[in-house]
Amino acid sequence: MAITLKEVAERAGVSRAAVSRSFTEGASVSAKTRAKVMQAATELGYSPNMLARSLTTRRTQLVGLVSNNFHNPVFLQIFDLFTRTLQDRGLRPLLVNLSDETDPDRSVQLLRQYSVDGVIVASSHLPDSFAPAFRAAGIPVVHAFGRATATPSVDVVAIDNIAAGRMAAEALIARGYRSLGFLGGPAQASTTEDRLTGFTAAATAAGATVTPHFAGAYSFDAGRAAMQAVLHGPRPEAWFCADDVLSIGAMSALTEAGLRIPADIGLIGLNDMEMAAWANIALTTIHQPFADIVTASVDLIADRFTARDRAPELRLFPCHIVERGTLRPLP
């Protein structure tokens, strides 16, 4: 039989209300009483019933973690960071796969069924209406990896994807490449659009040419297929693949075609996912600070619980290039 709050109160010699306050963060209870309660709870093997508490406090501590990019292994890394960071803050992640969802209203209804206290949208290519739909429904929301705008409608935590595109072009131009290829994910994704914008602007300013291509998804298979499709035409000297998993798929197609990287063709990715550092890949890439983005997203969603009327905030984090083995050396 499960140990009850009443039994803990009797063992500690305090009221049931004192036991409840001892297990409630921020509640008023003396250090002496809390110590007696915790000792009694340990001796009896008691754990508070979170479901029962949520009925009393009307707070579930559930945070919906919403994404639609489960084809990309980098999100395993990101979800690991999110779940551990949320749990460290006493919050409980509820992972929601919206891969086949395009209607924000249905998503709002789904998350409401679980009585989530807030939502973190961790995606760059759900429709722009998704995150604002949660806010309009009165659900605190943060858009991680969202689009940087001067006046965001919800809290956004991200990198400056236009600046990242410029960084990629400047890295290629500095190594003497002048005929450049761009391989993005879905053309309608904000990350694809912004990275291409920055890449093209910097390349054009330096007198380089850019040939853009797009993959159907941010996945290995999509990157491989997209590169296979363009190998029969004019070949750029170097490619910016706007995601590491696209880069790895492209590398597979290039090596299968007998091309050597970087001797015959250069390649730079973006994300610096763990797989990019594997010895058989050694991808030169732009590091996206996942840990900083995740921590800031969790900080903002927790703050939203008590500051619902605060103006939406944009937090951007800088990137940097990680040199490995897929570009020729700087002159």
Side-chain angles (χ1 to χ4, degrees), residues 208-229:
T209 61
V210 173
T211 304
H213 294 277
F214 306 97
Y218 284 113
S219 70
F220 172 90
D221 288 339
R224 183 171 176 269
M227 185 58 71
Q228 286 174 329

Side-chain angles (χ1 to χ4, degrees), residues 49-81:
N49 185 319
M50 299 303 294
L51 179 59
R53 177 183 294 178
S54 70
L55 295 174
T56 301
T57 64
R58 298 189 178 183
R59 288 281 305 275
T60 64
Q61 306 288 37
L62 277 173
V63 174
L65 185 56
V66 172
S67 188
N68 67 336
N69 198 12
F70 286 78
H71 297 292
N72 192 337
V74 75
F75 273 86
L76 295 177
Q77 185 177 338
I78 291 168
F79 293 150
D80 175 61
L81 287 169

Side-chain angles (χ1 to χ4, degrees), residues 268-284:
I268 185 170
L270 192 151
N271 273 337
D272 193 24
M273 62 190 293
E274 292 175 355
M275 193 184 300
W278 291 1
N280 63 325
I281 295 174
L283 176 68
T284 297

Side-chain angles (χ1 to χ4, degrees), residues 141-187:
V141 61
V142 173
H143 193 173
F145 309 102
R147 193 170 210 167
T149 61
T151 55
S153 59
V154 300
D155 290 329
V156 174
V157 186
I159 62 171
D160 184 337
N161 283 293
I162 294 177
R166 287 197 301 266
M167 184 180 295
E170 291 164 358
L172 298 181
I173 291 162
R175 288 159 175 78
Y177 299 113
R178 289 297 179 269
S179 173
L180 310 182
F182 173 87
L183 179 58

Side-chain angles (χ1 to χ4, degrees), residues 247-308:
S247 302
I248 296 168
M251 289 175 70
S252 175
L254 292 168
T255 54
E256 285 176 5
L259 296 168
R260 298 167 299 162
I261 304 169
D264 297 323
I265 195 162
L267 204 66
I268 185 170
L270 192 151
N271 273 337
D272 193 24
M273 62 190 293
E274 292 175 355
M275 193 184 300
W278 291 1
N280 63 325
I281 295 174
L283 176 68
T284 297
T285 188
I286 296 172
H287 175 83
Q288 182 165 194
F290 294 138
D292 292 336
I293 290 171
V294 167
T295 298
S297 298
V298 173
D299 286 345
L300 283 170
I301 198 65
D303 181 60
R304 275 285 165 202
F305 298 156
T306 55
R308 290 186 176 232

